Structure formats: structure tokens, C-alpha cells
Amino acid sequence: MGLVDLLQTIEISRKSGVIQFVGERGRQAAIYFRDGKVIDAEAGTLQGEDAVYRLLTWSEGEFEVVFRTVRRREVITTSSQGLLMEGMRRLDEWSRLLEQLPPLTHRFEIDAGELAARLGDVPDDNNRILRLIDGKRTLLEVIDASDVGDLECLQAIGRLYFEDLLIDLDHDQPRKRDTGKPMP
């Protein structure tokens, strides 16, 4: 059962409780709902709506629904339908970005020379993401470890990648930008 169907079923039933998720590599998440409305969520370092959006990117996993009284502050004020509509929009954008980037299983390192030469051009809010790119973590692990939303993180990684600030360690040959000029 997909997350969209699950949340719609919870909304229709008007129940209260928590849905606990376990994804690939033991990733854990939870969505809290009261009277059928999603009120909070957590996935990795993300809370609220960003956590729900992260769960929409999961392709596999298991879940358990526990119906109970939920004594938790309402963090998500958007209706469940509004949350799903925005989530699906973000998922489309996520898929579009993934088509342009190497697979999420690839590892990257920062091109220190390029970064040093263009440090002033890199927005400060990318620093947290840059610190996670260590040559050991895959793109997915960087996204999971990031404390910004998945789509925002992937957009930042895409900018860094296309500005040649990242080196794809799992690609057979270094990526060269097509300048449209014939090779000598």
C-alpha cells in the first residue's frame, strides 16, 4: 500500500494514532495523526511537512499503524489533501532532477580547487550540504543526513554538480561539460 492511499484511508476513518515506518537500510520514520488529520511527522533529521515529503520518496518499506490517543503538538497545519498535493508536486520535481543527475547510489567528493576558486559564488546555505559530501556517503545518504528538505537538498546538489564543484567517484570517466565546440 502506498503512502498516499494510507493517508487517505486514515483521513476517511478519522482515527488517531501513529504510523511507524521502516525503510531500506533500517531508515525509520513516523507520521502522527489525530481525528484523521496528519499533525506531525519525523523522518531522519526532518520534522513536519518535510518528513512527509521524504516519505513520499521512499520506494520500499514496511509500516505499522498504532491507533491510540496522540498527545503531540500540531506541527502540520495543512490539510491532508493539501499536504499530498504539495507532496506529489515535489515528487514530480524530485523525479525530474533525478533524471539529470547520476544515480543516488553514487559517491561524490568536492573539487577543492574549483571550490576555492569560486567560494564567493556558492551560497552560504550550501555549506551544510557541502560538509556532508565526503567521498564516502552516497547521494541518498547525503540527502538523508541533511537537515534541509529533500527537494531543496537535491536542487543544491544539482547546482553544485552542474557547476563542476563535485566529482562523481563512481563514474567510469570524469564528466566533461559539452561546450558545443568540436574536439581538436
Side-chain angles (χ1 to χ4, degrees), residues 67-132:
F67 295 109
R68 63 176 171 83
T69 302
V70 176
R71 297 190 193 327
R72 195 171 181 96
R73 188 170 60 89
E74 185 172 327
V75 173
I76 299 174
T77 57
T78 308
S79 71
S80 294
Q81 288 305 312
L83 190 63
L84 290 176
M85 292 287 284
E86 175 62 12
M88 298 315 291
R89 183 198 69 75
R90 292 172 66 91
L91 194 55
D92 284 344
E93 179 71 8
W94 169 269
S95 298
R96 187 186 66 73
L97 287 168
L98 283 181
E99 288 174 3
Q100 301 170 16
L101 291 170
L104 290 174
T105 55
H106 281 211
R107 297 167 300 119
F108 288 82
E109 68 181 14
I110 298 163
D111 185 328
E114 275 297 313
L115 182 61
R118 300 180 22 221
L119 197 54
D121 300 336
V122 178
D124 288 342
D125 55 349
N126 286 350
N127 289 341
R128 295 182 305 195
I129 296 167
L130 283 169
R131 280 194 281 278
L132 296 171

Side-chain angles (χ1 to χ4, degrees), residues 47-61:
Q47 291 283 132
E49 293 177 7
D50 284 337
V52 175
Y53 302 147
R54 171 166 291 168
L55 276 165
L56 286 170
T57 66
W58 288 18
S59 58
E60 292 183 16

